[in-house]
Amino acid sequence: MQKALFLDRDGVINSDEGHYYIYKIEDFKINEGIIPSLKKITEAGYLLFIVTNQGGIAKGIYSESDVEMVHDHLLSILEKENIHIEQIYFCPHHESVAACDCRKPNPYFIKKAIIDYNIDSTKSYMIGDSPRDIQAAEAAGIKGIKIQSNENISVYCDQIVKGEI
Ligand SMILES: [Mg+2]
Ligand SMILES: [Zn+2]
């Protein structure tokens, strides 16, 4: 079985300061500590996943292709650093338009990854800056690590690698 680290996107991977919705490459700034932390986690044998709510799509603020463009940009930066993200799961829905099964705190995408990638939930983690990230993690049976928005995740990743958390 595999072990995995799940990450929220906005406020964890990239800064959400000054923007509620981020759908332009020029607004997409990777937070301090992400590159070295994800390298270390990769070297320790964890698969990486991103699970993000993108309700701005349902609201008509931006499109799925905007999201995919931002994700291609992110993946190309990470691949240059030899960091591979297995999947970026995004929920394009919002309850103000229509309910769905995949928006966090629903654990849908985490559970899907656990099945599709044969992941050991007892050895896996989710880092998020919102209570709903932690609710999703716990509902999927993995450990949730709540950070402050845009906090450097290095200390938590070190603890994961050392088995201290
Ligand atoms: Mg967030
Ligand atoms: Zn959804």
Side-chain angles (χ1 to χ4, degrees), residues 8-12 14 16 52 104 128-130 132-133 149:
D8 175 43
R9 201 194 79 179
D10 302 324
V12 176
N14 57 285
D16 64 357
T52 177
K104 294 175 290 183
D129 67 329
S130 164
R132 67 188 173 206
D133 298 320
S149 290

Side-chain angles (χ1 to χ4, degrees), residues 144-159:
I145 301 170
K146 168 80 169 62
I147 65 163
Q148 298 300 312
S149 290
N150 310 310
E151 186 182 351
N152 190 323
I153 67 169
S154 297
V155 58
Y156 306 106
C157 291
D158 284 348
Q159 289 173 338

Side-chain angles (χ1 to χ4, degrees), residues 53 90-94 98-104 106 108-109:
N53 287 349
F90 67 91
C91 163
H93 311 112
H94 193 273
C100 74
D101 291 328
C102 56
R103 184 175 165 83
K104 294 175 290 183
N106 196 301
Y108 178 86
F109 287 128

